[in-house]
Amino acid sequence: MSWSSAERAVLTRAVGEAPSVHNLVPWTAEIRAAGADLYDHAGARRRRHDPAGRDRVISGGAALTNLELALRALGWAPETVLLPDAGRLDLLARVTSPHRHEATPEEVRHYSAIYRRHSYRSPFAVRAIDEQERRRLAAVSDGAMGRILDPAAESAPLAEFLSHAGQAPRDDVAYRRELRAWSSPFGEPHGNSALPWAHLPDTATLAKRLAAEALVLVLTPDDTRRDHLLAGHVMEQIWLAAVARGLAGSVLTRPLRLHQVRAGLAAELGLAGFPQLILRFGYPVTGPRS
Ligand SMILES: Cc1cc2nc3c(=O)[nH]c(=O)nc-3n(C[C@H](O)[C@H](O)[C@H](O)COP(=O)(O)O)c2cc1C
């Protein structure tokens, strides 16, 4: 089987739309006869900021979700092997598509959400996420390593940890310099933060604002490269499902790079796994970008 140039363009474009840490696009997709190989782009290494390459591999996982959805949109059933070659750790995944499969309406909706998803960096609409929407998100997240936070009980501890994380980089000149070097191309209004506030408000106000959002923590059983890949894969699935339902969202990993925050959050919320990232969802003020 060989791809037409239009099909190749569908696959390449979908992969290129995935979110990535600092917009580094740290992967390469090599389109093959019956699928594609996805490589980690080690040249995008950020030694200080992401020494273990966790965010890079999470980003690769998001690209993998888009690749699979694009194959589905083209009428194939993708089969994926993660880290298929122990001798080539940069080969994140091999995706083949041995069987035809007509995409379900939901798969088509999620595929088209790839082009409407972006990191939403403005304040969400005043209307709080309602319980029904929260339950729908929980249904997508549960069993897929996502854990939706209880707004009443868990917004306050999260606000405490985010406030702590918001302070930490101020003392860390090298970390700040690295972030500054990457911040200008992103067009982010308030520095490099998915949180829309130029300065974090006091903890009580932050907790109140967080309680109006839907927050999903993506957890993995272990903290290996494979776990990071799976976390990114699941992150993008949840994000696209939310966008398909008209929500807007953003992702935070920066606070979790601080050991005290990551370990503290796991202990405080009784998390059954390693927290890899936090997704925030709300209603967009102006509607998603198309
Ligand atoms: C693994 C990963 C970690 C990220 N961490 C953060 C973060 O901590 N703070 C933030 O503001 N954005 C974060 N982002 C969002 C990226 O900056 C964003 O995806 C990128 O700039 C591309 O923009 P887009 O999502 O609008 O396509 C992260 C994205 C990924 C994939």
Side-chain angles (χ1 to χ4, degrees):
M1 181 185 105
S2 65
W3 301 109
S4 68
S5 55
E7 288 171 327
R8 275 177 172 273
V10 166
L11 297 174
T12 312
R13 194 168 161 230
V15 172
E17 289 290 325
S20 63
V21 59
H22 298 316
N23 209 12
L24 289 172
V25 193
W27 59 73
T28 309
E30 214 175 275
I31 312 293
R32 295 156 56 95
D37 285 350
L38 193 68
Y39 289 93
D40 177 22
H41 194 247
R45 193 166 287 148
R46 306 297 298 155
R47 217 165 284 136
R48 164 88 201 163
H49 177 65
D50 185 21
R54 189 163 82 204
D55 280 357
R56 233 183 40 236
V57 177
I58 292 175
S59 306
L64 176 61
T65 292
N66 285 14
L67 174 63
E68 291 172 342
L69 277 172
L71 283 164
R72 288 188 185 281
L74 289 174
W76 295 94
E79 290 183 5
T80 299
V81 183
L82 300 180
L83 303 170
D85 184 346
R88 283 221 62 177
L89 272 185
D90 62 331
L91 178 53
L92 294 176
R94 171 157 293 162
V95 186
T96 51
S97 44
H99 308 295
R100 296 296 293 178
H101 159 83
E102 194 178 336
T104 65
E106 184 177 71
E107 286 164 354
V108 172
R109 277 197 299 276
H110 291 189
Y111 167 73
S112 62
I114 288 175
Y115 300 98
R116 300 197 307 280
R117 183 215 60 81
H118 71 281
S119 295
Y120 187 86
R121 301 195 186 279
S122 308
F124 292 123
V126 176
R127 181 180 155 214
I129 291 272
D130 60 41
E131 267 320 299
Q132 201 186 11
E133 199 61 73
R134 215 181 287 280
R135 271 200 297 277
R136 281 204 194 97
L137 260 179
V140 179
S141 309
D142 287 353
M145 308 189 304
R147 179 184 181 290
I148 193 149
L149 295 192
D150 173 355
E154 297 181 327
S155 300
L158 180 63
E160 292 278 354
F161 284 112
L162 287 181
S163 299
H164 175 74
Q167 301 302 322
R170 245 174 271 252
D171 315 326
D172 189 337
V173 176
Y175 180 86
R176 284 172 70 77
R177 197 181 303 126
E178 189 168 85
L179 286 181
R180 211 169 31 239
W182 288 104
S183 58
S184 50
F186 309 147
E188 293 170 3
H190 303 306
N192 183 37
S193 171
L195 294 171
W197 310 295
H199 300 287
L200 281 183
D202 64 84
T203 310
T205 309
L206 181 58
K208 209 170 131 208
R209 288 179 182 173
L210 293 175
E213 303 178 356
L215 297 156
V216 181
L217 262 173
V218 171
L219 308 166
T220 51
D222 207 337
D223 203 19
T224 64
R225 201 169 166 79
R226 185 186 169 83
D227 290 284
H228 303 156
L229 196 52
L230 282 170
H233 192 238
V234 163
M235 169 191 78
E236 181 71 342
Q237 285 171 348
I238 298 171
W239 200 340
L240 294 176
V243 169
R245 292 206 41 79
L247 299 181
S250 63
V251 62
L252 282 170
T253 59
R254 198 173 78 178
L256 299 176
R257 282 179 214 135
L258 297 173
H259 176 72
Q260 316 89 291
V261 171
R262 199 175 187 214
L265 204 57
E268 185 78 28
L269 304 187
L271 302 177
F274 289 80
Q276 301 292 353
L277 55 98
I278 303 165
L279 281 162
R280 307 171 50 232
F281 295 110
Y283 297 105
V285 172
T286 53
R289 203 164 55 184
S290 58

